[in-house]
Amino acid sequence: MRNRWLVLTGFALIAVSYGLARFAWGVMLPDVMRDIPFTPQQAGILSACSFIAYCLAILAAPSLSARAGPRLPAFISSVSAASGLLLMAVAQSPWLLGLGLFIAGLSAGLASPAIAAAVSQRVADTQQPKMNMIINAGTSAGIIVSVPVLFWLPGGWRMACTLFAFLALLCTLPVWRILPDEKPLTRPASLRGFLRRPALQRLMVIAFFSGIASAAWWSFGPELLHRLGIEQGTLSLLWMIAGAAGIAGAATGPLTKVMTMKQIYRLSQCCLALPLLLIAFSQHFSWWLVPGVALGGAGYVTLSGALLVWGAEATESAPATGVSMLFFMLAAGQVVGSMLFGQLYALTGSRTALLIFAALPLLFVFAVRKQH
């Protein structure tokens, strides 16, 4: 029973911190740009604010968990999500939006290490992978919830941000009551030795460029679809399909029974490029976009699963270290990708920018060697 409540609490916190406080920004973007005018370059910078905050938080969270236990960083995660979303709800200028996105973006970086630490303390080793996959599916659940709220809730995106902030505050009670506050018995491993390992270095490069490519969809996907003349209802449905398909990422573990990790990795990189290519060559809505965005959403989460497995293998004595570094590099790539795509979009147009970003995951299809 205790494990069940821990999983439900972790699932809810991940749904709020990733699905609502981080990725819902993409589907809000067209409406926000109508209410608070700003350029595509500024949109890229605003999107990068969330990714920068995530990078900083995920670096600080392991140390905070080691000093105070998982409960405190998870509680701060809930509060930062609520605070950032409320600031976005009342923002009247791009810089206030950026500040809100930054504060909300801290939430996801604090949540993942805290929940992982709680699971490692309270769940048997054999059950931890299963529990973590269920909890990580919260991201897709948050995206699925955000779409109908943004589409049907009176008051538009501002009222949606207010509701999301309220849901984040609701998470504080179970986080404080359910998550442990025990400190780990061993000190966190030093990064210096691990960073010298060629396997981890190669994976960090892959994660970085995969993050760059993924930023085109997660930061600009709805805006690009809107430019094709796709109505808001269809656009919201496509975004929800992409989020729902991300639940397939939880199947990364069972999928290894029929495919090697290298094959899973290559398939996910191809899927990451697919929606970008389809949007680049589309001039209006096509039903091909439905499976395209679904495979793109599934590909991103599955790629994250492959990186998670390889990161743990590359630092077998301290698996959390490898996983944290790869997810940090993935987010760092998204920072660069958001700003770079915004610049290319403004200077060259959407098609050229999309083709360049679609080429990145295709180039990295064969960038693995000894991993398996």
Side-chain angles (χ1 to χ4, degrees):
M1 180 62 72
R2 179 185 291 269
N3 287 350
R4 183 181 302 171
W5 283 112
L6 175 60
V7 169
L8 288 174
T9 300
F11 184 93
L13 183 59
I14 294 299
V16 164
S17 60
Y18 281 85
L20 302 183
R22 191 174 177 207
F23 288 127
W25 165 251
V27 77
M28 291 182 204
L29 186 56
D31 289 336
V32 176
M33 291 183 77
R34 282 194 291 270
D35 290 348
I36 308 175
F38 47 84
T39 65
Q41 294 99 319
Q42 289 174 315
I45 294 171
L46 288 174
S47 298
C49 288
S50 176
F51 295 125
I52 291 170
Y54 177 85
C55 290
L56 295 175
I58 205 168
L59 289 177
S63 176
L64 184 57
S65 294
R67 292 175 182 272
R71 180 186 297 168
L72 181 60
F75 181 82
I76 296 173
S77 170
S78 299
V79 173
S80 66
S83 302
L85 286 163
L86 282 175
L87 186 55
M88 291 169 61
V90 301
Q92 298 294 332
S93 65
W95 75 268
L96 270 180
L97 276 175
L99 181 60
L101 284 164
F102 182 87
I103 295 172
L106 294 170
S107 176
L110 291 168
S112 293
I115 296 298
V119 169
S120 68
Q121 289 183 15
R122 292 290 174 87
V123 178
D125 291 347
T126 56
Q127 294 296 312
Q128 287 180 20
K130 177 182 176 181
M131 296 298 184
N132 280 321
M133 285 190 291
I134 295 172
I135 290 170
N136 286 334
T139 299
S140 294
I143 293 173
I144 293 169
V145 168
S146 70
V147 171
V149 169
L150 286 162
F151 187 61
W152 282 302
L153 186 69
W157 66 272
R158 293 186 185 275
M159 188 57 67
C161 284
T162 304
L163 177 59
F164 295 161
F166 175 71
L167 294 175
L169 283 176
L170 285 182
C171 284
T172 58
L173 182 60
V175 161
W176 197 258
R177 290 176 63 89
I178 303 298
L179 265 61
D181 60 353
E182 293 95 343
K183 301 176 184 178
L185 299 177
T186 58
R187 296 181 63 183
S190 171
L191 286 176
R192 185 175 301 176
F194 291 127
L195 290 177
R196 294 195 184 103
R197 299 187 179 185
L200 184 60
Q201 292 172 356
R202 186 164 56 251
L203 289 170
M204 288 170 67
V205 172
I206 291 171
F208 180 74
F209 283 97
S210 298
I212 291 177
S214 69
W217 170 253
W218 290 116
S219 296
F220 289 90
E223 169 62 13
L224 293 165
L225 292 172
H226 179 72
R227 297 281 176 134
L228 295 177
I230 297 176
E231 61 182 21
Q232 185 62 37
T234 305
L235 189 154
S236 299
L237 178 63
L238 289 171
W239 186 260
M240 187 163 62
I241 288 170
I247 295 175
T252 302
L255 201 58
T256 57
K257 296 179 180 179
V258 295
M259 297 175 67
T260 66
M261 282 305 301
K262 188 180 292 186
Q263 290 171 329
I264 293 171
Y265 161 82
R266 287 174 173 167
L267 180 62
S268 65
Q269 289 283 23
C270 291
C271 289
L272 203 61
L274 185 58
L276 305 183
L277 291 171
L278 285 173
I279 296 172
F281 291 106
S282 296
Q283 297 181 352
H284 49 76
F285 175 75
S286 167
W287 286 107
W288 284 108
L289 288 171
V290 175
V293 299
L295 288 171
Y300 175 77
V301 180
T302 304
L303 175 62
S304 300
L307 291 173
L308 188 152
V309 171
W310 282 340
E313 290 179 352
T315 56
E316 67 284 346
S317 60
T321 300
V323 172
S324 295
M325 288 309 302
L326 294 190
F327 276 77
F328 169 79
M329 293 302 293
L330 190 67
Q334 289 169 329
V335 172
V336 175
S338 293
M339 293 188 290
L340 182 59
F341 189 88
Q343 294 291 331
L344 286 172
Y345 185 10
L347 294 174
T348 67
S350 60
R351 175 172 294 184
T352 301
L354 284 165
L355 291 176
I356 291 172
F357 272 65
L360 285 175
L362 296 178
L363 288 173
F364 274 83
V365 163
F366 299 101
V368 289
R369 296 181 184 176
K370 297 181 181 179
Q371 285 83 8
H372 53 80

